Amino acid sequence: MQLAEELERQRTTKKDLVLHSSMMRHETGEGGDTRLIVDHVEGGQFAVTELARRQLAGKLNIPYAYFERMRVEQPGLLDSNVNTWLQTDDSRRMLRTLDGQARAVLSDRYRRLDNYDLASAVIPILKTLTDLRFESVELTATRMYLKAVVPVLAYTMTPGDVVQAGIVITNSEVGHGTLSVQPLLYRLVCSNGLILPDRALRKTHIGRALGSEDNQVQVYQDDTLRADDRAFFLKVRDVVQATVTETAFQEAARKMQRTMGIPLTGDPVRSVEVLADRYDLSEGEQTGVLRHLIQGGDLSGYGLVNAVTHFSQEVEDYDRATDFEEIGGKLVELTSKEWDGLLTA
């Protein structure tokens, strides 16, 4: 599995530094490329990713739009601003690095729940599930995704329209979301995935502060991380086993089936506009959902749910495509009152 190879590679090359802010210095190159220089034998120069720039700006209370304007138009002014605040900031930070890049600038209270350890804990358990199929695995710049389907757990929505049980496990090593284990409904007729929002597990990356001496850089690598998190990942393993059960799946499938009886009585175009406003869709995304709703020919809550999840297959960005699978799950969980704004628009 390519994911396993990449996780192993990252495990041996990444490094975390916990240090006082004043030990970092910011430099911007002529082309707008930025780097952080850590003044310590364990440090060095690290190119700064776009996410880490956002986090650094946030930590220093510099509006990101202004940060980016300075980076492009006035790099000297940016370095002056950032370095002034780094030198006067009394906080300690965790700098997560990989392949010569500063990939995240986080609090020293950030609890590292790393992808390699998570995968090592849960993949063997997933493989014990009957006929399990990994539908999708992905490692993006911000998250790891494991999406698996268990075909033996199936539910017929209508003749010829079958959904299967599944599970989605996500994690971010760079402060871009919690570790979560969520139920998945996989619709065979169009290969749509729908992620239910009632998380079986949700764990934030917040722990105790790491380190205390102002002039000390603490370096955390694999052995420390695995020992610190082993007990927690055992709990994740147990939750994974409990998530893919007949009872939980049947309940979720029936919730989705009930949306068949919810008619869209208003203007479908306006319904999708309300949906776009509620879930912050771009104009292009709104158009795509409307196209799938019309092509599907099902002007009901069920049709709208499937239009949303079907559109996810057209979204090139994996993180954003997963957002649409989650929006589909949120629609399934809506109360009657919450549906009203969409139905009668």
Side-chain angles (χ1 to χ4, degrees):
M1 183 186 293
Q2 290 183 340
L3 174 67
E5 294 175 359
E6 178 60 16
L7 291 178
E8 175 63 29
R9 187 195 71 79
Q10 291 189 6
R11 183 178 73 90
T12 59
T13 57
K14 64 189 176 186
K15 182 169 63 175
D16 298 332
L17 307 174
V18 179
L19 68 164
H20 195 277
S21 294
S22 63
M23 300 185 72
M24 292 187 288
R25 182 161 49 89
H26 188 272
E27 287 188 357
T28 306
E30 291 183 1
D33 295 331
T34 59
R35 56 186 174 270
L36 280 173
I37 301 171
V38 177
D39 297 320
H40 191 275
V41 66
E42 294 287 356
Q45 296 189 18
F46 303 96
V48 186
T49 65
E50 191 270 341
L51 173 63
R53 286 203 304 269
R54 286 184 178 275
Q55 292 172 332
L56 179 62
K59 297 297 183 188
L60 301 179
N61 292 319
I62 300 174
Y64 185 65
Y66 182 50
F67 187 103
E68 286 295 277
R69 182 181 178 188
M70 288 189 290
R71 183 176 68 85
V72 173
E73 300 178 12
Q74 295 289 338
L77 179 61
L78 174 62
D79 292 340
S80 177
N81 270 273
V82 171
N83 290 324
T84 296
W85 292 117
L86 283 175
Q87 292 303 310
T88 57
D89 186 7
D90 198 33
S91 302
R92 293 175 65 82
R93 304 294 181 197
M94 176 183 286
L95 184 66
R96 306 210 76 177
T97 72
L98 174 68
D99 298 334
Q101 291 188 318
R103 58 179 182 147
V105 181
L106 303 162
S107 163
D108 64 347
R109 293 178 59 84
Y110 186 80
R111 179 177 181 180
R112 296 139 303 138
L113 302 173
D114 279 0
N115 295 331
Y116 180 90
D117 300 312
L118 175 61
S120 297
V122 301
I123 287 179
I125 299 303
L126 290 173
K127 287 183 175 179
T128 66
L129 299 173
T130 304
D131 296 331
L132 176 127
R133 178 182 76 250
F134 282 101
E135 186 59 36
S136 176
V137 295
E138 190 73 21
L139 194 62
T140 71
T142 57
R143 289 187 178 94
M144 179 182 74
Y145 299 87
L146 302 174
K147 299 178 183 179
V149 174
V150 183
V152 295
L153 294 178
Y155 186 94
T156 300
M157 310 298 284
T158 60
D161 188 356
V162 176
V163 295
Q164 296 174 335
I167 188 168
V168 179
I169 302 170
T170 62
N171 185 50
S172 175
E173 295 185 335
V174 292
H176 211 261
T178 61
L179 186 158
S180 68
V181 179
Q182 298 170 282
L184 170 74
L185 293 180
Y186 185 78
R187 188 173 180 233
L188 289 178
V189 69
C190 52
S191 302
N192 290 349
L194 180 148
I195 300 172
L196 296 169
D198 54 339
R199 290 177 172 84
L201 176 76
R202 183 174 181 271
K203 180 64 178 178
T204 57
H205 292 250
I206 299 295
R208 66 181 186 281
L210 298 172
S212 58
E213 299 179 24
D214 287 347
N215 294 322
Q216 178 184 7
V217 173
Q218 295 194 344
V219 183
Y220 292 90
Q221 295 176 313
D222 306 325
D223 292 343
T224 306
L225 300 183
R226 289 199 300 272
D228 189 42
D229 295 330
R230 186 174 295 114
F232 175 72
F233 286 120
L234 289 175
K235 183 184 295 183
V236 173
R237 181 193 64 186
D238 294 339
V239 171
V240 167
Q241 290 177 312
T243 300
V244 187
T245 64
E246 178 75 25
T247 301
F249 168 61
Q250 293 281 342
E251 180 182 354
R254 283 192 289 268
K255 280 185 179 180
M256 186 175 181
Q257 191 176 44
R258 283 197 290 270
T259 63
M260 291 180 169
I262 303 176
L264 295 180
T265 58
D267 180 353
V269 175
R270 180 57 184 151
S271 292
V272 176
E273 289 176 355
V274 173
L275 176 85
D277 183 63
R278 186 178 294 183
Y279 297 106
D280 196 24
L281 309 189
S282 70
E283 184 175 344
E285 292 169 343
Q286 176 182 323
T287 299
V289 171
L290 178 61
R291 173 166 40 83
H292 280 287
L293 177 63
I294 294 172
Q295 289 175 348
D298 181 2
L299 298 183
S300 70
Y302 189 69
L304 185 59
V305 168
N306 286 308
V308 169
T309 56
H310 202 176
F311 174 71
S312 71
Q313 298 178 28
E314 298 181 9
V315 181
E316 294 184 4
D317 182 88
Y318 193 94
D319 294 306
R320 186 56 176 161
T322 302
D323 289 341
F324 277 87
E325 295 175 341
E326 293 179 344
I327 292 171
K330 291 175 182 177
L331 290 172
V332 168
E333 296 287 345
L334 291 181
T335 64
S336 297
K337 184 176 181 180
E338 290 170 330
W339 267 111
D340 284 345
L342 291 169
L343 300 177
T344 60

